Amino acid sequence: MDLKGFDQPGGRAGGDARSVKVMIAGGFGTGKTTMVRSVSDIKPLTTEETLTQASADVDRLIGVADKTQTTVSLDFGKIGINESLVLYLFGTPGQERFWFLWNGLFKGALGAIVLVDTRRLESSFRAIEEMERQEVPFVVALNVFPDSTNYPVEEIRDALDIPEHTPVVAFDARDRASSRDVLVALIHHLKERSAVALEPR
């Protein structure tokens, strides 16, 4: 892959490799931790804690009643796209009570992946709004669950009110190759934007 345009300030990842910070965002239970785990070249850092009865009145478990753990701070992983580019992945917490952490996590990010569960589109509204508010370029990734309905991409785009220039791709967060393809789609999206958009925030 041609990486011309990524030769921007932002640090070296070792040798001649460039490092890029990427956010993995989305609502509660959309597969953020699963994606980081599946695609990371290193053992990922996760901050999952067990859901307890004490949070029953706070956490929205509609559609994810079988979920037993939740990210309380962040997930972190790393993947080398090739010898010239390393992505550092920061997964955001999805529950509303942890959203205050997002501002700090987004500092320095060049782009983001917003995970969407098509069974619960509303769970990712906030993440998309946050990308737009912070002007972070992003790709929408439709995580395919076993009982997901296969909606046409344009229907999803309309339902989420996503601009035409924002890529929307389907993938399986459990699959390393599929998750990597989403990250590559983000890199291509960033390359298509202006040089200003590629500068670290």
Coordinates of all heavy atoms in Angstrom, one line a residue, residues 19-86:
S19 N 3.9 5.8 13.3 CA 2.8 5.3 14.2 C 1.6 6.2 14.1 O 1.8 7.5 14.0 CB 3.3 5.3 15.7 OG 3.8 6.6 16.1
V20 N 0.5 5.7 14.1 CA -0.8 6.4 14.0 C -1.8 5.9 15.1 O -1.9 4.7 15.3 CB -1.4 6.2 12.6 CG1 -2.8 6.8 12.5 CG2 -0.5 6.7 11.5
K21 N -2.4 6.9 15.8 CA -3.3 6.6 16.8 C -4.7 6.5 16.2 O -5.2 7.4 15.5 CB -3.3 7.6 17.9 CG -4.3 7.3 19.1 CD -4.2 8.4 20.1 CE -5.2 8.1 21.3 NZ -5.1 9.2 22.3
V22 N -5.4 5.4 16.4 CA -6.8 5.2 15.9 C -7.7 4.8 17.0 O -7.4 4.0 17.9 CB -6.7 4.0 14.9 CG1 -8.2 3.6 14.4 CG2 -5.9 4.4 13.7
M23 N -8.9 5.4 17.0 CA -9.9 5.1 18.1 C -10.8 4.1 17.5 O -11.2 4.0 16.4 CB -10.7 6.4 18.4 CG -9.9 7.6 18.9 SD -8.8 7.2 20.3 CE -10.0 6.6 21.5
I24 N -11.2 3.2 18.4 CA -12.3 2.2 18.2 C -13.4 2.5 19.1 O -13.4 2.3 20.3 CB -11.8 0.7 18.4 CG1 -10.4 0.4 17.8 CG2 -12.9 -0.3 18.0 CD1 -10.4 0.5 16.3
A25 N -14.5 3.1 18.5 CA -15.6 3.7 19.3 C -16.9 3.0 18.9 O -17.0 2.2 18.0 CB -15.7 5.2 19.0
G26 N -17.9 3.3 19.7 CA -19.2 2.7 19.4 C -20.0 2.5 20.7 O -19.5 2.8 21.8
G27 N -21.2 2.1 20.6 CA -22.1 1.9 21.8 C -21.7 0.7 22.6 O -20.8 -0.1 22.2
F28 N -22.4 0.5 23.7 CA -22.2 -0.6 24.6 C -22.5 -1.9 23.9 O -23.6 -2.1 23.2 CB -23.1 -0.4 25.8 CG -23.0 -1.6 26.8 CD1 -21.8 -2.0 27.3 CD2 -24.2 -2.2 27.3 CE1 -21.7 -3.0 28.2 CE2 -24.1 -3.2 28.2 CZ -22.9 -3.6 28.7
G29 N -21.6 -2.9 23.9 CA -21.8 -4.2 23.3 C -21.7 -4.3 21.8 O -22.2 -5.2 21.2
T30 N -21.1 -3.3 21.2 CA -21.0 -3.4 19.7 C -19.8 -4.1 19.2 O -19.7 -4.4 18.0 CB -21.0 -1.9 19.1 OG1 -19.9 -1.2 19.7 CG2 -22.3 -1.2 19.3
G31 N -18.9 -4.5 20.1 CA -17.8 -5.4 19.7 C -16.4 -4.7 19.7 O -15.4 -5.2 19.1
K32 N -16.2 -3.6 20.4 CA -15.0 -2.9 20.4 C -13.8 -3.7 21.0 O -12.8 -3.8 20.4 CB -15.1 -1.6 21.2 CG -16.2 -0.6 20.6 CD -16.4 0.6 21.4 CE -16.9 0.4 22.8 NZ -18.2 -0.2 22.8
T33 N -14.1 -4.3 22.2 CA -13.0 -5.1 22.8 C -12.7 -6.3 22.0 O -11.5 -6.7 21.8 CB -13.5 -5.5 24.2 OG1 -13.7 -4.3 25.0 CG2 -12.4 -6.4 24.9
T34 N -13.7 -6.9 21.4 CA -13.5 -8.1 20.5 C -12.7 -7.8 19.3 O -11.8 -8.5 19.0 CB -14.9 -8.6 20.1 OG1 -15.7 -9.0 21.2 CG2 -14.7 -9.8 19.1
M35 N -12.9 -6.6 18.7 CA -12.1 -6.2 17.6 C -10.6 -6.0 18.0 O -9.7 -6.5 17.3 CB -12.7 -4.9 16.9 CG -11.9 -4.4 15.7 SD -12.5 -2.9 15.0 CE -11.4 -2.7 13.6
V36 N -10.4 -5.3 19.0 CA -9.0 -5.0 19.5 C -8.3 -6.3 19.8 O -7.2 -6.5 19.4 CB -9.0 -4.1 20.7 CG1 -7.6 -3.9 21.3 CG2 -9.5 -2.7 20.3
R37 N -9.0 -7.2 20.4 CA -8.4 -8.5 20.8 C -8.1 -9.3 19.5 O -7.0 -10.0 19.4 CB -9.4 -9.3 21.6 CG -9.3 -8.9 23.1 CD -10.3 -9.8 23.9 NE -10.2 -9.5 25.3 CZ -11.1 -9.7 26.2 NH1 -12.3 -10.2 25.8 NH2 -10.9 -9.5 27.5
S38 N -9.0 -9.3 18.5 CA -8.8 -10.1 17.4 C -7.7 -9.7 16.4 O -7.0 -10.5 15.8 CB -10.1 -10.3 16.6 OG -10.4 -9.1 15.9
V39 N -7.5 -8.4 16.4 CA -6.6 -7.8 15.4 C -5.2 -7.4 15.9 O -4.3 -7.3 15.2 CB -7.2 -6.6 14.7 CG1 -7.1 -5.3 15.5 CG2 -6.7 -6.4 13.3
S40 N -5.1 -7.3 17.2 CA -3.8 -6.8 17.8 C -2.7 -7.8 17.6 O -2.8 -9.0 17.8 CB -4.0 -6.5 19.3 OG -2.8 -6.0 19.9
D41 N -1.5 -7.2 17.3 CA -0.3 -8.1 17.2 C 0.3 -8.4 18.6 O 1.1 -9.3 18.7 CB 0.8 -7.3 16.4 CG 0.5 -7.2 14.9 OD1 -0.3 -8.0 14.4 OD2 1.0 -6.2 14.3
I42 N -0.1 -7.7 19.6 CA 0.4 -7.9 20.9 C -0.8 -8.3 21.8 O -2.0 -8.2 21.4 CB 1.0 -6.6 21.5 CG1 0.0 -5.5 21.6 CG2 2.3 -6.2 20.7 CD1 0.5 -4.3 22.4
K43 N -0.5 -8.9 23.0 CA -1.6 -9.1 23.9 C -2.2 -7.8 24.3 O -1.5 -6.9 24.9 CB -1.1 -9.9 25.1 CG -2.2 -10.2 26.1 CD -1.6 -11.0 27.3 CE -2.8 -11.4 28.3 NZ -2.3 -12.1 29.4
P44 N -3.5 -7.6 24.0 CA -4.1 -6.3 24.3 C -4.3 -6.0 25.7 O -4.5 -6.9 26.6 CB -5.4 -6.4 23.5 CG -5.8 -7.8 23.5 CD -4.5 -8.5 23.4
L45 N -4.2 -4.7 26.1 CA -4.6 -4.3 27.4 C -6.1 -4.0 27.4 O -6.6 -3.3 26.6 CB -3.8 -3.0 27.7 CG -4.3 -2.2 29.0 CD1 -4.1 -3.0 30.2 CD2 -3.7 -0.8 29.0
T46 N -6.8 -4.7 28.3 CA -8.2 -4.4 28.4 C -8.5 -4.1 29.9 O -7.8 -4.4 30.8 CB -9.1 -5.7 28.0 OG1 -8.7 -6.8 28.9 CG2 -8.8 -6.0 26.6
T47 N -9.6 -3.3 30.1 CA -10.0 -2.9 31.4 C -11.5 -3.4 31.6 O -12.3 -2.6 32.0 CB -9.9 -1.4 31.6 OG1 -10.7 -0.7 30.6 CG2 -8.5 -1.0 31.5
E48 N -11.7 -4.6 31.4 CA -13.1 -5.2 31.5 C -13.3 -5.5 33.0 O -12.5 -6.1 33.6 CB -13.3 -6.4 30.6 CG -13.5 -6.0 29.2 CD -14.0 -7.2 28.4 OE1 -13.5 -8.3 28.5 OE2 -15.0 -7.0 27.7
E49 N -14.5 -5.2 33.4 CA -15.0 -5.6 34.7 C -16.3 -6.3 34.6 O -17.1 -6.1 33.7 CB -15.1 -4.4 35.7 CG -13.8 -3.7 36.0 CD -12.9 -4.5 36.8 OE1 -13.3 -5.5 37.5 OE2 -11.6 -4.2 36.8
T50 N -16.6 -7.2 35.6 CA -17.9 -7.9 35.6 C -19.1 -7.0 35.8 O -19.0 -6.2 36.8 CB -17.8 -9.0 36.6 OG1 -16.7 -9.9 36.3 CG2 -19.1 -9.9 36.6
L51 N -20.1 -7.2 35.0 CA -21.3 -6.4 35.3 C -22.0 -7.0 36.5 O -22.1 -8.3 36.7 CB -22.3 -6.5 34.1 CG -21.9 -5.7 32.9 CD1 -22.7 -6.2 31.7 CD2 -22.1 -4.3 33.1
T52 N -22.5 -6.2 37.4 CA -23.1 -6.7 38.6 C -24.5 -6.1 38.7 O -24.9 -5.2 38.0 CB -22.3 -6.2 39.9 OG1 -22.4 -4.8 40.0 CG2 -20.9 -6.7 39.8
Q53 N -25.3 -6.6 39.7 CA -26.6 -6.2 39.9 C -26.7 -4.7 40.3 O -27.6 -4.0 40.1 CB -27.3 -7.0 41.0 CG -28.8 -6.8 41.1 CD -29.6 -7.1 39.8 OE1 -29.2 -8.1 39.1 NE2 -30.6 -6.3 39.6
A54 N -25.6 -4.2 40.9 CA -25.5 -2.9 41.4 C -25.6 -1.9 40.2 O -26.1 -0.7 40.4 CB -24.2 -2.6 42.1
S55 N -25.3 -2.3 39.0 CA -25.3 -1.4 37.8 C -26.6 -1.6 37.0 O -26.8 -1.0 36.0 CB -24.1 -1.6 37.0 OG -24.1 -2.8 36.3
A56 N -27.5 -2.4 37.5 CA -28.7 -2.8 36.7 C -29.5 -1.6 36.4 O -30.2 -1.5 35.3 CB -29.5 -3.8 37.4
D57 N -29.6 -0.6 37.3 CA -30.4 0.6 37.0 C -29.7 1.6 36.2 O -30.3 2.7 35.9 CB -30.9 1.2 38.3 CG -31.9 0.2 39.1 OD1 -32.5 -0.6 38.4 OD2 -31.9 0.3 40.3
V58 N -28.4 1.4 36.0 CA -27.6 2.4 35.3 C -27.3 2.0 33.8 O -27.4 2.8 32.9 CB -26.3 2.7 36.0 CG1 -25.4 3.7 35.3 CG2 -26.5 3.1 37.5
D59 N -26.9 0.7 33.7 CA -26.5 0.3 32.3 C -27.7 -0.2 31.5 O -28.5 -0.9 32.0 CB -25.5 -0.9 32.5 CG -24.2 -0.4 33.3 OD1 -23.8 0.7 33.1 OD2 -23.7 -1.2 34.0
R60 N -27.7 0.1 30.2 CA -28.7 -0.3 29.3 C -28.3 -1.6 28.7 O -27.4 -1.7 27.9 CB -29.0 0.7 28.3 CG -29.4 2.1 28.8 CD -29.3 3.1 27.8 NE -30.5 3.9 27.7 CZ -30.7 4.7 26.7 NH1 -29.9 4.9 25.7 NH2 -31.9 5.4 26.6
L61 N -29.0 -2.7 29.1 CA -28.7 -4.0 28.6 C -29.6 -4.6 27.6 O -29.6 -5.7 27.2 CB -28.6 -5.0 29.8 CG -27.5 -4.6 30.8 CD1 -27.5 -5.7 32.0 CD2 -26.1 -4.5 30.2
I62 N -30.5 -3.7 27.1 CA -31.5 -4.1 26.1 C -30.7 -4.6 24.8 O -29.9 -3.8 24.2 CB -32.5 -3.0 25.7 CG1 -33.3 -2.6 26.9 CG2 -33.4 -3.4 24.6 CD1 -34.1 -1.3 26.7
G63 N -31.0 -5.8 24.4 CA -30.3 -6.4 23.2 C -29.0 -7.0 23.5 O -28.4 -7.7 22.6
V64 N -28.5 -6.8 24.7 CA -27.2 -7.4 25.1 C -27.3 -8.0 26.5 O -26.4 -8.0 27.3 CB -26.0 -6.4 25.1 CG1 -25.6 -6.1 23.6 CG2 -26.4 -5.1 25.8
A65 N -28.4 -8.6 26.8 CA -28.7 -9.2 28.1 C -27.7 -10.3 28.5 O -27.5 -10.5 29.7 CB -30.1 -9.7 28.2
D66 N -27.1 -10.9 27.6 CA -26.1 -12.0 27.9 C -24.7 -11.5 28.2 O -23.8 -12.3 28.5 CB -26.1 -13.0 26.7 CG -27.4 -13.8 26.5 OD1 -28.1 -13.9 27.5 OD2 -27.6 -14.2 25.4
K67 N -24.5 -10.2 28.0 CA -23.2 -9.6 28.2 C -22.9 -9.6 29.7 O -23.7 -9.2 30.5 CB -23.1 -8.2 27.6 CG -21.7 -7.6 27.6 CD -21.7 -6.3 26.8 CE -20.4 -5.6 26.8 NZ -19.3 -6.4 26.3
T68 N -21.7 -10.1 30.1 CA -21.3 -10.2 31.5 C -20.2 -9.3 31.9 O -19.9 -9.1 33.1 CB -20.9 -11.7 31.8 OG1 -19.8 -12.0 31.0 CG2 -22.0 -12.6 31.5
Q69 N -19.5 -8.7 30.9 CA -18.4 -7.8 31.3 C -18.5 -6.5 30.5 O -19.2 -6.4 29.4 CB -17.0 -8.5 31.0 CG -16.7 -9.6 31.9 CD -15.3 -10.2 31.7 OE1 -14.9 -10.4 30.6 NE2 -14.6 -10.3 32.8
T70 N -17.8 -5.5 31.0 CA -17.9 -4.2 30.3 C -16.5 -3.5 30.4 O -15.8 -3.6 31.5 CB -19.0 -3.3 30.8 OG1 -19.1 -2.1 30.0 CG2 -18.8 -2.9 32.3
T71 N -16.1 -2.7 29.4 CA -14.9 -1.9 29.5 C -15.2 -0.7 30.4 O -16.1 0.1 30.1 CB -14.5 -1.5 28.1 OG1 -14.2 -2.6 27.3 CG2 -13.2 -0.6 28.1
V72 N -14.3 -0.4 31.4 CA -14.5 0.7 32.3 C -13.5 1.8 32.0 O -13.6 2.9 32.7 CB -14.4 0.2 33.7 CG1 -15.5 -0.8 34.0 CG2 -13.1 -0.4 34.1
S73 N -12.5 1.6 31.2 CA -11.6 2.7 30.9 C -11.2 2.7 29.4 O -11.7 3.6 28.7 CB -10.3 2.5 31.7 OG -9.4 3.6 31.5
L74 N -10.4 1.7 29.0 CA -10.1 1.7 27.6 C -9.6 0.3 27.2 O -9.2 -0.5 28.1 CB -9.0 2.7 27.2 CG -7.6 2.6 27.9 CD1 -6.7 1.7 27.2 CD2 -7.0 4.0 28.0
D75 N -9.5 0.0 25.9 CA -8.8 -1.2 25.4 C -7.6 -0.6 24.6 O -7.7 0.4 24.0 CB -9.7 -2.0 24.5 CG -10.9 -2.6 25.3 OD1 -10.7 -3.0 26.4 OD2 -12.0 -2.5 24.7
F76 N -6.5 -1.4 24.6 CA -5.3 -0.9 23.9 C -4.7 -2.1 23.1 O -4.5 -3.2 23.7 CB -4.3 -0.3 24.8 CG -3.0 0.1 24.0 CD1 -2.9 1.2 23.2 CD2 -1.9 -0.7 24.2 CE1 -1.8 1.5 22.5 CE2 -0.7 -0.5 23.5 CZ -0.7 0.7 22.7
G77 N -4.4 -1.9 21.8 CA -3.7 -2.9 21.1 C -2.9 -2.2 20.0 O -2.9 -1.0 19.9
K78 N -2.1 -3.0 19.3 CA -1.2 -2.5 18.3 C -1.2 -3.4 17.1 O -1.2 -4.7 17.3 CB 0.2 -2.3 18.9 CG 1.3 -1.9 17.9 CD 2.6 -1.8 18.7 CE 3.7 -2.6 18.0 NZ 5.0 -2.5 18.7
I79 N -1.1 -2.9 15.9 CA -1.0 -3.7 14.7 C -0.1 -3.1 13.7 O -0.3 -1.9 13.4 CB -2.4 -4.1 14.1 CG1 -2.2 -4.9 12.8 CG2 -3.2 -2.8 13.8 CD1 -3.5 -5.4 12.2
G80 N 0.8 -3.8 13.1 CA 1.6 -3.3 12.0 C 0.9 -3.6 10.7 O 0.7 -4.8 10.3
I81 N 0.5 -2.6 10.0 CA -0.2 -2.7 8.7 C 0.8 -3.3 7.7 O 0.6 -4.1 6.8 CB -0.8 -1.4 8.2 CG1 -1.9 -1.0 9.2 CG2 -1.4 -1.6 6.8 CD1 -3.1 -2.0 9.3
N82 N 2.0 -2.7 7.7 CA 3.2 -3.2 6.9 C 4.4 -2.6 7.6 O 4.3 -2.1 8.7 CB 3.1 -2.8 5.4 CG 3.0 -1.3 5.2 OD1 3.5 -0.5 6.0 ND2 2.3 -0.9 4.1
E83 N 5.6 -2.8 7.0 CA 6.8 -2.3 7.6 C 6.9 -0.8 7.8 O 7.8 -0.3 8.5 CB 8.0 -2.8 6.8 CG 8.2 -2.2 5.4 CD 7.3 -2.8 4.3 OE1 6.5 -3.8 4.7 OE2 7.3 -2.3 3.2
S84 N 6.0 -0.1 7.1 CA 6.0 1.4 7.2 C 5.0 2.0 8.1 O 5.1 3.2 8.4 CB 5.9 2.0 5.8 OG 6.8 1.5 4.9
L85 N 4.0 1.2 8.6 CA 2.9 1.9 9.3 C 2.5 1.0 10.4 O 2.1 -0.2 10.2 CB 1.8 2.2 8.4 CG 0.5 2.8 9.0 CD1 0.9 4.2 9.5 CD2 -0.6 2.9 8.0
V86 N 2.4 1.5 11.7 CA 1.9 0.8 12.8 C 0.7 1.6 13.4 O 0.8 2.8 13.5 CB 3.0 0.7 13.9 CG1 2.4 0.1 15.2 CG2 4.2 -0.2 13.4

